[in-house]
Structure formats: structure tokens, C-alpha cells
Amino acid sequence: YYVEQNKDLDKFYISVFNINGAHALVYTKLLKLLDIPVLIITDLDIKRTKGEKDNYKQISTLANRKTTNQTIKAFYHTDEINSIPEFLKDDNIYVAYQTKVGRYIPTSFEESYILTNYDNSLVNSILKKLKPQLFKERIKTDVKNNQKNSYWWQVKLSNDKSQFSNEILYNLIVNDKECLPVMPRYISNGLEYIEKSLSEDM
């Protein structure tokens, strides 16, 4: 949807494949052989302790943190991400993953999307539709509570990822463009890389 809305990107033949970003590294040789701009969108997958998971701890720093994401480990050559840059690049391949949003560092698309759009009415209507009772109990009447509960939302949406994405897509298509949520920065930056790379190749 976002590619189609970009007039510059929409004029190129861009293919999108759902291959599970954490395992994208198996295609590295093929992607380099093709020698075309490639964007891999994956999750930062920060390793948490059981206590952090049980208490839905938000992550605000990468100090002493590790990733469990195999693609990131392959391109960054280590699982220690305390000083990882905002993206990784190897020849024609750009690897995008979550970056800090406000005070917190999200570790999934869902968490990043909610943090980025915590006060967006459309996003909140989707959350309320998918989890009405949980929304009422946890967020109550103040959508700012989404900020300190983004990881909690990630966990609660773990079995509803497809439904969450489909609801977003449907609402992006049918609603007024002025109230639409924005794409998380790590993805929009990756799309900018693709746009710039393709334009330079023309």
C-alpha cells in the first residue's frame, strides 16, 4: 500500500515477498547475484528475561542487550546490539529493523506501529475492535497509555498479527487520507533507500 502511494516508487516493478525477515539471510547469495536494490524488513528481537516478559517490561536502552534475530546476527556479525546502527547495509542489501520511538525501543512491527501512532484515532479504533475488554481495562480513556504498554500490546496481539495488519490495510484504503497512521521510521527509511537506489540506476 505504501509503495503504491509513493508516485516515484509506484513506477518501478517492485516485488514484495513474505519470507520471515529473521530467515532472510539464506537468500543473501542470490540477492547479491541479482545486484538489484533489496530491502529486508525484520524485527530487532531483543532477548528478554522471563521476568521482563512476565512484567511486560518496556525497553529504553540497548545497553547489554542481545538479539535473537538470525538475519541481524549474520549481517552485524554478533548478537550484541548495544551499539548497533539504525540500519545495516551490505552491498545492495539494506536491513531495516526497529529503532527508538520516543522513550522506548520496540521489538516488533506491531509494537513499533502502535508506539509511532499511539494517539491515532484509527489505530486505537482497531485495537479497541480487536481487544475491547483489554483496551477498556488497560488503556482506559487515555490513549497516551499506549506508550507505556506497547510491549504489552505486542504480547496480546501475538495471535492476531494477521488480523491487525489486515485491519490496518483495510482502513488505510477506505479512510480519509488526512487521519491515516504513519509508517514506522525504520520502514520509511528503508523505502527511501529503495527509492533513491532505483532513481540512481535510471
Side-chain angles (χ1 to χ4, degrees):
Y1 173 84
Y2 284 97
V3 169
E4 288 176 351
Q5 297 307 302
N6 183 310
K7 293 180 181 179
D8 292 319
L9 284 176
D10 193 41
K11 62 189 177 186
F12 293 102
Y13 293 98
I14 296 176
S15 297
V16 179
F17 299 95
N18 182 5
I19 55 173
N20 190 340
H23 302 291
L25 71 155
V26 300
Y27 297 97
T28 301
K29 289 183 180 179
L30 172 63
L31 296 175
K32 288 187 176 182
L33 184 64
L34 291 172
D35 195 29
I36 57 175
V38 173
L39 169 62
I40 295 174
I41 300 172
T42 191
D43 288 337
L44 194 53
D45 290 334
I46 298 173
K47 190 174 183 180
R48 281 179 163 91
T49 65
K50 185 179 184 303
E52 288 175 329
K53 291 178 182 178
D54 292 344
N55 293 305
Y56 308 108
K57 179 178 172 57
Q58 301 275 116
I59 291 178
S60 57
T61 176
L62 292 178
N64 301 314
R65 290 289 181 177
K66 295 184 177 183
T67 180
T68 60
N69 186 293
Q70 297 303 317
T71 292
I72 292 177
K73 286 196 280 187
F75 280 88
Y76 195 47
H77 310 296
T78 179
D79 62 350
E80 297 177 355
I81 54 173
N82 57 300
S83 59
I84 194 170
E86 288 200 347
F87 64 89
L88 299 173
K89 192 167 182 307
D90 185 1
D91 293 337
N92 58 313
I93 302 172
Y94 181 113
V95 182
Y97 39 81
Q98 290 81 23
T99 54
K100 199 166 192 175
V101 181
R103 293 173 53 197
Y104 302 112
I105 303 169
T107 59
S108 72
F109 167 76
E110 293 79 19
E111 186 181 4
S112 185
Y113 204 88
I114 291 167
L115 263 180
T116 302
N117 300 284
Y118 72 91
D119 59 349
N120 181 274
S121 58
L122 193 150
V123 170
N124 278 282
S125 68
I126 292 172
L127 293 173
K128 195 179 294 186
K129 177 181 178 180
L130 294 179
K131 303 289 181 182
Q133 192 59 38
L134 292 178
F135 189 95
K136 182 180 178 181
E137 293 172 1
R138 194 84 173 199
I139 306 307
K140 300 174 182 175
T141 58
D142 189 356
V143 293
K144 289 182 180 178
N145 289 329
N146 283 326
Q147 292 176 301
K148 60 184 180 184
N149 286 291
S150 62
Y151 178 63
W152 177 84
W153 273 122
Q154 175 183 322
V155 174
K156 298 305 177 183
L157 291 170
S158 60
N159 294 323
D160 303 285
K161 290 186 175 186
S162 295
Q163 192 174 357
F164 180 68
S165 296
N166 287 332
E167 287 286 347
I168 291 172
L169 180 58
Y170 173 77
N171 281 280
L172 287 174
I173 294 170
V174 302
N175 279 284
D176 183 357
K177 297 289 184 285
E178 291 184 4
C179 69
L180 295 183
V182 297
M183 181 61 78
R185 186 164 55 94
Y186 72 103
I187 298 179
S188 60
N189 286 349
L191 291 176
E192 286 178 12
Y193 159 75
I194 291 293
E195 181 180 346
K196 181 179 179 182
S197 299
L198 290 173
S199 298
E200 289 174 350
D201 290 343
M202 289 183 66

